[in-house]
Amino acid sequence: MSGDLMKQELINKAAKILWDAWRTGQTISELPQDCRPTNRQNAYDIQTRIADLSQSAQIGWKIAATSENGQKHIGASGPLAGRLLANRAKFSGDHLTLGANLMAVAEAEYCFRLGSDLPVRETAYSMEEVLNAVDTLHSAIEIPDSRYLDFITAGEPQLIADNACASWFVLGPPTTADWRNIDLQKHTVQVLVNATVVAEGLGSNVLGDPRIALTWIANELRHEGIGLKSGEIITTGTCVLPFAIKQADHIMLDFGQIGQVNVTLK
C-alpha cells in the first residue's frame, strides 16, 4: 500500500483500535495488516481521526525523535509530528495521575506559542519566517507513551499513527527573558526528580537547535496539507536523555533564565 491513500473505513478502523488502547490503558502488538499505515500521509490521516475520537480540543503539536539517538532507538528516518490534546495537558505546579505508562520516562522541552498563523503554502518556510510567527517561549515537560507493546520495532508510520508517542504534557509559564537573544543551542537545562539532579542537556540535542525543530514541523505539516495556527503551542522534543519516572515523583526542570516547570505524579 506504500504511496497509496488508505480508504476512510480502514483509517477509521486503525484509529478506533489505537484510541481504544489509549482510553483503556492497554497495549497492542501492532495494527492489523489491512489498516496498518505504510507511509506518512496515511499515518497522519489516522492520527487526525484519533484526535476526532478523543473529543478533545487540540492545543498544538509535539515533535518526537528529534535526536539522532532517539531516531535510531525507534528506527525512524527523521522526526515525527503528533497532536497535543487539551485533555492530556497540565500546567506547571499541577498534579497528574500517571496511570498505565509503558515508557515510564519524561522529557525536557522548549515549547513555542504562535502569535500568528503559518498556513499551508507551496514553498518551504524559513526559520526567520517561523520565528517571526512566535509569540512566547515556554519550558515544558512531556511524558510520552506508546500503545504498542514493542514500540521500538513498530516502525515510523505506526508510531505517527499513534500520535507520535504522545501521552501527557505539562506547560510552563512564558519566559520573561529576552529569549530571542539567547543562544538556545548552547543553553543548559537541568532535570531534578525529588530534588535530586538526574540529567542535564543542551538545546543542541533538539535537531541541533529547538528553532530548527520548530521550522521542521511547520514544513512537515505544510507538506501534509496542515497549517499551524495562532495560539497553538509547539513542543520541540527533548533536550535531555529521557529520564525514568514513577508514581509519586516530583519533576522539576530548570531552564536557567528561561524559567522552570514542575509537576507531581499522583
Side-chain angles (χ1 to χ4, degrees), residues 218-241:
N219 287 313
E220 169 79 352
L221 296 177
R222 177 187 62 83
H223 183 71
E224 298 300 328
I226 302 168
L228 292 172
K229 298 172 186 173
S230 176
E232 286 187 326
I233 54 175
I234 295 94
T235 194
T236 52
T238 189
C239 53
V240 301
L241 285 173

mmCIF file with all atom_site columns, all heavy atoms in Angstrom, residues 218-241:
data_model
loop_
_atom_site.group_PDB
_atom_site.id
_atom_site.type_symbol
_atom_site.label_atom_id
_atom_site.label_alt_id
_atom_site.label_comp_id
_atom_site.label_asym_id
_atom_site.label_entity_id
_atom_site.label_seq_id
_atom_site.pdbx_PDB_ins_code
_atom_site.Cartn_x
_atom_site.Cartn_y
_atom_site.Cartn_z
_atom_site.occupancy
_atom_site.B_iso_or_equiv
_atom_site.pdbx_formal_charge
_atom_site.auth_seq_id
_atom_site.auth_comp_id
_atom_site.auth_asym_id
_atom_site.auth_atom_id
_atom_site.pdbx_PDB_model_num
ATOM 1   N N   . ALA A 1 218 ? 6.789  23.044 10.945 1.00 0.00 ? 218 ALA A N   1
ATOM 2   C CA  . ALA A 1 218 ? 5.987  23.916 10.065 1.00 0.00 ? 218 ALA A CA  1
ATOM 3   C C   . ALA A 1 218 ? 6.003  23.369 8.638  1.00 0.00 ? 218 ALA A C   1
ATOM 4   O O   . ALA A 1 218 ? 4.969  23.355 7.955  1.00 0.00 ? 218 ALA A O   1
ATOM 5   C CB  . ALA A 1 218 ? 6.532  25.339 10.095 1.00 0.00 ? 218 ALA A CB  1
ATOM 6   N N   . ASN A 1 219 ? 7.162  22.887 8.211  1.00 0.00 ? 219 ASN A N   1
ATOM 7   C CA  . ASN A 1 219 ? 7.282  22.375 6.841  1.00 0.00 ? 219 ASN A CA  1
ATOM 8   C C   . ASN A 1 219 ? 6.798  20.937 6.701  1.00 0.00 ? 219 ASN A C   1
ATOM 9   O O   . ASN A 1 219 ? 6.247  20.569 5.659  1.00 0.00 ? 219 ASN A O   1
ATOM 10  C CB  . ASN A 1 219 ? 8.726  22.524 6.369  1.00 0.00 ? 219 ASN A CB  1
ATOM 11  C CG  . ASN A 1 219 ? 9.069  23.968 6.078  1.00 0.00 ? 219 ASN A CG  1
ATOM 12  O OD1 . ASN A 1 219 ? 8.319  24.671 5.403  1.00 0.00 ? 219 ASN A OD1 1
ATOM 13  N ND2 . ASN A 1 219 ? 10.184 24.459 6.622  1.00 0.00 ? 219 ASN A ND2 1
ATOM 14  N N   . GLU A 1 220 ? 6.952  20.128 7.738  1.00 0.00 ? 220 GLU A N   1
ATOM 15  C CA  . GLU A 1 220 ? 6.407  18.767 7.720  1.00 0.00 ? 220 GLU A CA  1
ATOM 16  C C   . GLU A 1 220 ? 4.894  18.807 7.574  1.00 0.00 ? 220 GLU A C   1
ATOM 17  O O   . GLU A 1 220 ? 4.307  18.113 6.738  1.00 0.00 ? 220 GLU A O   1
ATOM 18  C CB  . GLU A 1 220 ? 6.799  18.039 9.013  1.00 0.00 ? 220 GLU A CB  1
ATOM 19  C CG  . GLU A 1 220 ? 6.089  16.719 9.259  1.00 0.00 ? 220 GLU A CG  1
ATOM 20  C CD  . GLU A 1 220 ? 6.644  15.533 8.481  1.00 0.00 ? 220 GLU A CD  1
ATOM 21  O OE1 . GLU A 1 220 ? 7.513  15.752 7.602  1.00 0.00 ? 220 GLU A OE1 1
ATOM 22  O OE2 . GLU A 1 220 ? 6.227  14.399 8.737  1.00 0.00 ? 220 GLU A OE2 1
ATOM 23  N N   . LEU A 1 221 ? 4.242  19.641 8.363  1.00 0.00 ? 221 LEU A N   1
ATOM 24  C CA  . LEU A 1 221 ? 2.780  19.723 8.307  1.00 0.00 ? 221 LEU A CA  1
ATOM 25  C C   . LEU A 1 221 ? 2.304  20.401 7.027  1.00 0.00 ? 221 LEU A C   1
ATOM 26  O O   . LEU A 1 221 ? 1.275  20.025 6.457  1.00 0.00 ? 221 LEU A O   1
ATOM 27  C CB  . LEU A 1 221 ? 2.249  20.443 9.546  1.00 0.00 ? 221 LEU A CB  1
ATOM 28  C CG  . LEU A 1 221 ? 2.510  19.720 10.874 1.00 0.00 ? 221 LEU A CG  1
ATOM 29  C CD1 . LEU A 1 221 ? 2.008  20.548 12.048 1.00 0.00 ? 221 LEU A CD1 1
ATOM 30  C CD2 . LEU A 1 221 ? 1.872  18.336 10.895 1.00 0.00 ? 221 LEU A CD2 1
ATOM 31  N N   . ARG A 1 222 ? 3.056  21.403 6.563  1.00 0.00 ? 222 ARG A N   1
ATOM 32  C CA  . ARG A 1 222 ? 2.742  22.059 5.286  1.00 0.00 ? 222 ARG A CA  1
ATOM 33  C C   . ARG A 1 222 ? 2.689  21.011 4.167  1.00 0.00 ? 222 ARG A C   1
ATOM 34  O O   . ARG A 1 222 ? 1.776  21.016 3.337  1.00 0.00 ? 222 ARG A O   1
ATOM 35  C CB  . ARG A 1 222 ? 3.826  23.105 4.985  1.00 0.00 ? 222 ARG A CB  1
ATOM 36  C CG  . ARG A 1 222 ? 3.692  23.826 3.659  1.00 0.00 ? 222 ARG A CG  1
ATOM 37  C CD  . ARG A 1 222 ? 4.908  24.711 3.410  1.00 0.00 ? 222 ARG A CD  1
ATOM 38  N NE  . ARG A 1 222 ? 6.133  23.931 3.321  1.00 0.00 ? 222 ARG A NE  1
ATOM 39  C CZ  . ARG A 1 222 ? 6.558  23.302 2.212  1.00 0.00 ? 222 ARG A CZ  1
ATOM 40  N NH1 . ARG A 1 222 ? 5.845  23.371 1.102  1.00 0.00 ? 222 ARG A NH1 1
ATOM 41  N NH2 . ARG A 1 222 ? 7.687  22.621 2.216  1.00 0.00 ? 222 ARG A NH2 1
ATOM 42  N N   . HIS A 1 223 ? 3.648  20.100 4.195  1.00 0.00 ? 223 HIS A N   1
ATOM 43  C CA  . HIS A 1 223 ? 3.720  19.032 3.191  1.00 0.00 ? 223 HIS A CA  1
ATOM 44  C C   . HIS A 1 223 ? 2.492  18.112 3.271  1.00 0.00 ? 223 HIS A C   1
ATOM 45  O O   . HIS A 1 223 ? 2.075  17.529 2.271  1.00 0.00 ? 223 HIS A O   1
ATOM 46  C CB  . HIS A 1 223 ? 5.005  18.227 3.397  1.00 0.00 ? 223 HIS A CB  1
ATOM 47  C CG  . HIS A 1 223 ? 5.227  17.158 2.378  1.00 0.00 ? 223 HIS A CG  1
ATOM 48  N ND1 . HIS A 1 223 ? 5.557  17.436 1.075  1.00 0.00 ? 223 HIS A ND1 1
ATOM 49  C CD2 . HIS A 1 223 ? 5.153  15.804 2.475  1.00 0.00 ? 223 HIS A CD2 1
ATOM 50  C CE1 . HIS A 1 223 ? 5.682  16.299 0.402  1.00 0.00 ? 223 HIS A CE1 1
ATOM 51  N NE2 . HIS A 1 223 ? 5.439  15.301 1.219  1.00 0.00 ? 223 HIS A NE2 1
ATOM 52  N N   . GLU A 1 224 ? 1.927  17.988 4.469  1.00 0.00 ? 224 GLU A N   1
ATOM 53  C CA  . GLU A 1 224 ? 0.751  17.129 4.669  1.00 0.00 ? 224 GLU A CA  1
ATOM 54  C C   . GLU A 1 224 ? -0.556 17.902 4.515  1.00 0.00 ? 224 GLU A C   1
ATOM 55  O O   . GLU A 1 224 ? -1.637 17.377 4.790  1.00 0.00 ? 224 GLU A O   1
ATOM 56  C CB  . GLU A 1 224 ? 0.808  16.478 6.057  1.00 0.00 ? 224 GLU A CB  1
ATOM 57  C CG  . GLU A 1 224 ? 1.999  15.569 6.292  1.00 0.00 ? 224 GLU A CG  1
ATOM 58  C CD  . GLU A 1 224 ? 2.063  14.391 5.331  1.00 0.00 ? 224 GLU A CD  1
ATOM 59  O OE1 . GLU A 1 224 ? 0.983  13.911 4.910  1.00 0.00 ? 224 GLU A OE1 1
ATOM 60  O OE2 . GLU A 1 224 ? 3.180  13.958 4.992  1.00 0.00 ? 224 GLU A OE2 1
ATOM 61  N N   . GLY A 1 225 ? -0.458 19.175 4.112  1.00 0.00 ? 225 GLY A N   1
ATOM 62  C CA  . GLY A 1 225 ? -1.660 19.985 3.915  1.00 0.00 ? 225 GLY A CA  1
ATOM 63  C C   . GLY A 1 225 ? -2.257 20.520 5.200  1.00 0.00 ? 225 GLY A C   1
ATOM 64  O O   . GLY A 1 225 ? -3.456 20.803 5.286  1.00 0.00 ? 225 GLY A O   1
ATOM 65  N N   . ILE A 1 226 ? -1.402 20.663 6.244  1.00 0.00 ? 226 ILE A N   1
ATOM 66  C CA  . ILE A 1 226 ? -1.861 21.144 7.550  1.00 0.00 ? 226 ILE A CA  1
ATOM 67  C C   . ILE A 1 226 ? -1.107 22.428 7.893  1.00 0.00 ? 226 ILE A C   1
ATOM 68  O O   . ILE A 1 226 ? 0.125  22.460 7.835  1.00 0.00 ? 226 ILE A O   1
ATOM 69  C CB  . ILE A 1 226 ? -1.598 20.095 8.652  1.00 0.00 ? 226 ILE A CB  1
ATOM 70  C CG1 . ILE A 1 226 ? -2.308 18.769 8.318  1.00 0.00 ? 226 ILE A CG1 1
ATOM 71  C CG2 . ILE A 1 226 ? -2.049 20.608 10.018 1.00 0.00 ? 226 ILE A CG2 1
ATOM 72  C CD1 . ILE A 1 226 ? -1.872 17.607 9.188  1.00 0.00 ? 226 ILE A CD1 1
ATOM 73  N N   . GLY A 1 227 ? -1.825 23.458 8.268  1.00 0.00 ? 227 GLY A N   1
ATOM 74  C CA  . GLY A 1 227 ? -1.196 24.707 8.680  1.00 0.00 ? 227 GLY A CA  1
ATOM 75  C C   . GLY A 1 227 ? -1.129 24.815 10.196 1.00 0.00 ? 227 GLY A C   1
ATOM 76  O O   . GLY A 1 227 ? -1.901 24.175 10.911 1.00 0.00 ? 227 GLY A O   1
ATOM 77  N N   . LEU A 1 228 ? -0.203 25.632 10.692 1.00 0.00 ? 228 LEU A N   1
ATOM 78  C CA  . LEU A 1 228 ? -0.130 25.940 12.114 1.00 0.00 ? 228 LEU A CA  1
ATOM 79  C C   . LEU A 1 228 ? -0.935 27.208 12.378 1.00 0.00 ? 228 LEU A C   1
ATOM 80  O O   . LEU A 1 228 ? -0.950 28.118 11.556 1.00 0.00 ? 228 LEU A O   1
ATOM 81  C CB  . LEU A 1 228 ? 1.324  26.123 12.549 1.00 0.00 ? 228 LEU A CB  1
ATOM 82  C CG  . LEU A 1 228 ? 2.196  24.861 12.529 1.00 0.00 ? 228 LEU A CG  1
ATOM 83  C CD1 . LEU A 1 228 ? 3.649  25.220 12.794 1.00 0.00 ? 228 LEU A CD1 1
ATOM 84  C CD2 . LEU A 1 228 ? 1.707  23.851 13.552 1.00 0.00 ? 228 LEU A CD2 1
ATOM 85  N N   . LYS A 1 229 ? -1.574 27.267 13.562 1.00 0.00 ? 229 LYS A N   1
ATOM 86  C CA  . LYS A 1 229 ? -2.495 28.359 13.842 1.00 0.00 ? 229 LYS A CA  1
ATOM 87  C C   . LYS A 1 229 ? -2.038 29.205 15.023 1.00 0.00 ? 229 LYS A C   1
ATOM 88  O O   . LYS A 1 229 ? -1.431 28.690 15.968 1.00 0.00 ? 229 LYS A O   1
ATOM 89  C CB  . LYS A 1 229 ? -3.886 27.785 14.140 1.00 0.00 ? 229 LYS A CB  1
ATOM 90  C CG  . LYS A 1 229 ? -4.502 27.026 12.971 1.00 0.00 ? 229 LYS A CG  1
ATOM 91  C CD  . LYS A 1 229 ? -5.775 26.328 13.400 1.00 0.00 ? 229 LYS A CD  1
ATOM 92  C CE  . LYS A 1 229 ? -6.318 25.451 12.259 1.00 0.00 ? 229 LYS A CE  1
ATOM 93  N NZ  . LYS A 1 229 ? -7.461 24.637 12.714 1.00 0.00 ? 229 LYS A NZ  1
ATOM 94  N N   . SER A 1 230 ? -2.366 30.477 14.963 1.00 0.00 ? 230 SER A N   1
ATOM 95  C CA  . SER A 1 230 ? -2.098 31.387 16.070 1.00 0.00 ? 230 SER A CA  1
ATOM 96  C C   . SER A 1 230 ? -2.702 30.830 17.355 1.00 0.00 ? 230 SER A C   1
ATOM 97  O O   . SER A 1 230 ? -3.833 30.341 17.360 1.00 0.00 ? 230 SER A O   1
ATOM 98  C CB  . SER A 1 230 ? -2.704 32.753 15.765 1.00 0.00 ? 230 SER A CB  1
ATOM 99  O OG  . SER A 1 230 ? -2.532 33.632 16.855 1.00 0.00 ? 230 SER A OG  1
ATOM 100 N N   . GLY A 1 231 ? -1.930 30.893 18.447 1.00 0.00 ? 231 GLY A N   1
ATOM 101 C CA  . GLY A 1 231 ? -2.395 30.371 19.726 1.00 0.00 ? 231 GLY A CA  1
ATOM 102 C C   . GLY A 1 231 ? -1.965 28.951 19.998 1.00 0.00 ? 231 GLY A C   1
ATOM 103 O O   . GLY A 1 231 ? -1.982 28.502 21.146 1.00 0.00 ? 231 GLY A O   1
ATOM 104 N N   . GLU A 1 232 ? -1.587 28.205 18.943 1.00 0.00 ? 232 GLU A N   1
ATOM 105 C CA  . GLU A 1 232 ? -1.127 26.831 19.153 1.00 0.00 ? 232 GLU A CA  1
ATOM 106 C C   . GLU A 1 232 ? 0.257  26.828 19.803 1.00 0.00 ? 232 GLU A C   1
ATOM 107 O O   . GLU A 1 232 ? 1.065  27.741 19.585 1.00 0.00 ? 232 GLU A O   1
ATOM 108 C CB  . GLU A 1 232 ? -1.072 26.066 17.830 1.00 0.00 ? 232 GLU A CB  1
ATOM 109 C CG  . GLU A 1 232 ? -2.432 25.682 17.291 1.00 0.00 ? 232 GLU A CG  1
ATOM 110 C CD  . GLU A 1 232 ? -2.365 24.784 16.076 1.00 0.00 ? 232 GLU A CD  1
ATOM 111 O OE1 . GLU A 1 232 ? -1.433 24.933 15.257 1.00 0.00 ? 232 GLU A OE1 1
ATOM 112 O OE2 . GLU A 1 232 ? -3.260 23.935 15.934 1.00 0.00 ? 232 GLU A OE2 1
ATOM 113 N N   . ILE A 1 233 ? 0.513  25.785 20.595 1.00 0.00 ? 233 ILE A N   1
ATOM 114 C CA  . ILE A 1 233 ? 1.836  25.591 21.165 1.00 0.00 ? 233 ILE A CA  1
ATOM 115 C C   . ILE A 1 233 ? 2.522  24.429 20.460 1.00 0.00 ? 233 ILE A C   1
ATOM 116 O O   . ILE A 1 233 ? 1.874  23.463 20.069 1.00 0.00 ? 233 ILE A O   1
ATOM 117 C CB  . ILE A 1 233 ? 1.777  25.358 22.693 1.00 0.00 ? 233 ILE A CB  1
ATOM 118 C CG1 . ILE A 1 233 ? 0.821  24.209 23.042 1.00 0.00 ? 233 ILE A CG1 1
ATOM 119 C CG2 . ILE A 1 233 ? 1.377  26.628 23.418 1.00 0.00 ? 233 ILE A CG2 1
ATOM 120 C CD1 . ILE A 1 233 ? 0.803  23.854 24.511 1.00 0.00 ? 233 ILE A CD1 1
ATOM 121 N N   . ILE A 1 234 ? 3.825  24.563 20.281 1.00 0.00 ? 234 ILE A N   1
ATOM 122 C CA  . ILE A 1 234 ? 4.610  23.515 19.632 1.00 0.00 ? 234 ILE A CA  1
ATOM 123 C C   . ILE A 1 234 ? 5.777  23.165 20.537 1.00 0.00 ? 234 ILE A C   1
ATOM 124 O O   . ILE A 1 234 ? 6.645  24.000 20.802 1.00 0.00 ? 234 ILE A O   1
ATOM 125 C CB  . ILE A 1 234 ? 5.129  23.935 18.238 1.00 0.00 ? 234 ILE A CB  1
ATOM 126 C CG1 . ILE A 1 234 ? 3.965  24.159 17.266 1.00 0.00 ? 234 ILE A CG1 1
ATOM 127 C CG2 . ILE A 1 234 ? 6.033  22.846 17.663 1.00 0.00 ? 234 ILE A CG2 1
ATOM 128 C CD1 . ILE A 1 234 ? 3.496  25.552 17.175 1.00 0.00 ? 234 ILE A CD1 1
ATOM 129 N N   . THR A 1 235 ? 5.756  21.946 21.067 1.00 0.00 ? 235 THR A N   1
ATOM 130 C CA  . THR A 1 235 ? 6.853  21.488 21.915 1.00 0.00 ? 235 THR A CA  1
ATOM 131 C C   . THR A 1 235 ? 7.824  20.710 21.039 1.00 0.00 ? 235 THR A C   1
ATOM 132 O O   . THR A 1 235 ? 7.411  19.874 20.231 1.00 0.00 ? 235 THR A O   1
ATOM 133 C CB  . THR A 1 235 ? 6.340  20.702 23.134 1.00 0.00 ? 235 THR A CB  1
ATOM 134 O OG1 . THR A 1 235 ? 7.393  20.556 24.067 1.00 0.00 ? 235 THR A OG1 1
ATOM 135 C CG2 . THR A 1 235 ? 5.732  19.359 22.775 1.00 0.00 ? 235 THR A CG2 1
ATOM 136 N N   . THR A 1 236 ? 9.109  21.018 21.156 1.00 0.00 ? 236 THR A N   1
ATOM 137 C CA  . THR A 1 236 ? 10.053 20.699 20.074 1.00 0.00 ? 236 THR A CA  1
ATOM 138 C C   . THR A 1 236 ? 10.910 19.456 20.274 1.00 0.00 ? 236 THR A C   1
ATOM 139 O O   . THR A 1 236 ? 11.792 19.188 19.475 1.00 0.00 ? 236 THR A O   1
ATOM 140 C CB  . THR A 1 236 ? 10.966 21.913 19.821 1.00 0.00 ? 236 THR A CB  1
ATOM 141 O OG1 . THR A 1 236 ? 11.547 22.343 21.053 1.00 0.00 ? 236 THR A OG1 1
ATOM 142 C CG2 . THR A 1 236 ? 10.184 23.050 19.195 1.00 0.00 ? 236 THR A CG2 1
ATOM 143 N N   . GLY A 1 237 ? 10.657 18.671 21.320 1.00 0.00 ? 237 GLY A N   1
ATOM 144 C CA  . GLY A 1 237 ? 11.433 17.454 21.515 1.00 0.00 ? 237 GLY A CA  1
ATOM 145 C C   . GLY A 1 237 ? 12.438 17.599 22.646 1.00 0.00 ? 237 GLY A C   1
ATOM 146 O O   . GLY A 1 237 ? 12.833 18.707 23.015 1.00 0.00 ? 237 GLY A O   1
ATOM 147 N N   . THR A 1 238 ? 12.851 16.479 23.188 1.00 0.00 ? 238 THR A N   1
ATOM 148 C CA  . THR A 1 238 ? 13.647 16.507 24.406 1.00 0.00 ? 238 THR A CA  1
ATOM 149 C C   . THR A 1 238 ? 15.086 16.961 24.186 1.00 0.00 ? 238 THR A C   1
ATOM 150 O O   . THR A 1 238 ? 15.722 16.578 23.216 1.00 0.00 ? 238 THR A O   1
ATOM 151 C CB  . THR A 1 238 ? 13.628 15.143 25.123 1.00 0.00 ? 238 THR A CB  1
ATOM 152 O OG1 . THR A 1 238 ? 14.245 15.286 26.408 1.00 0.00 ? 238 THR A OG1 1
ATOM 153 C CG2 . THR A 1 238 ? 14.337 14.061 24.310 1.00 0.00 ? 238 THR A CG2 1
ATOM 154 N N   . CYS A 1 239 ? 15.558 17.796 25.121 1.00 0.00 ? 239 CYS A N   1
ATOM 155 C CA  . CYS A 1 239 ? 16.953 18.245 25.065 1.00 0.00 ? 239 CYS A CA  1
ATOM 156 C C   . CYS A 1 239 ? 17.812 17.494 26.081 1.00 0.00 ? 239 CYS A C   1
ATOM 157 O O   . CYS A 1 239 ? 18.990 17.788 26.245 1.00 0.00 ? 239 CYS A O   1
ATOM 158 C CB  . CYS A 1 239 ? 17.056 19.749 25.265 1.00 0.00 ? 239 CYS A CB  1
ATOM 159 S SG  . CYS A 1 239 ? 16.238 20.356 26.733 1.00 0.00 ? 239 CYS A SG  1
ATOM 160 N N   . VAL A 1 240 ? 17.210 16.513 26.775 1.00 0.00 ? 240 VAL A N   1
ATOM 161 C CA  . VAL A 1 240 ? 17.969 15.614 27.653 1.00 0.00 ? 240 VAL A CA  1
ATOM 162 C C   . VAL A 1 240 ? 17.610 14.182 27.280 1.00 0.00 ? 240 VAL A C   1
ATOM 163 O O   . VAL A 1 240 ? 16.589 13.941 26.634 1.00 0.00 ? 240 VAL A O   1
ATOM 164 C CB  . VAL A 1 240 ? 17.626 15.845 29.151 1.00 0.00 ? 240 VAL A CB  1
ATOM 165 C CG1 . VAL A 1 240 ? 17.920 17.267 29.585 1.00 0.00 ? 240 VAL A CG1 1
ATOM 166 C CG2 . VAL A 1 240 ? 16.175 15.482 29.456 1.00 0.00 ? 240 VAL A CG2 1
ATOM 167 N N   . LEU A 1 241 ? 18.428 13.229 27.688 1.00 0.00 ? 241 LEU A N   1
ATOM 168 C CA  . LEU A 1 241 ? 18.037 11.835 27.512 1.00 0.00 ? 241 LEU A CA  1
ATOM 169 C C   . LEU A 1 241 ? 16.792 11.585 28.353 1.00 0.00 ? 241 LEU A C   1
ATOM 170 O O   . LEU A 1 241 ? 16.721 12.027 29.509 1.00 0.00 ? 241 LEU A O   1
ATOM 171 C CB  . LEU A 1 241 ? 19.158 10.895 27.957 1.00 0.00 ? 241 LEU A CB  1
ATOM 172 C CG  . LEU A 1 241 ? 20.360 10.785 27.013 1.00 0.00 ? 241 LEU A CG  1
ATOM 173 C CD1 . LEU A 1 241 ? 21.469 9.959  27.658 1.00 0.00 ? 241 LEU A CD1 1
ATOM 174 C CD2 . LEU A 1 241 ? 19.951 10.180 25.676 1.00 0.00 ? 241 LEU A CD2 1
#
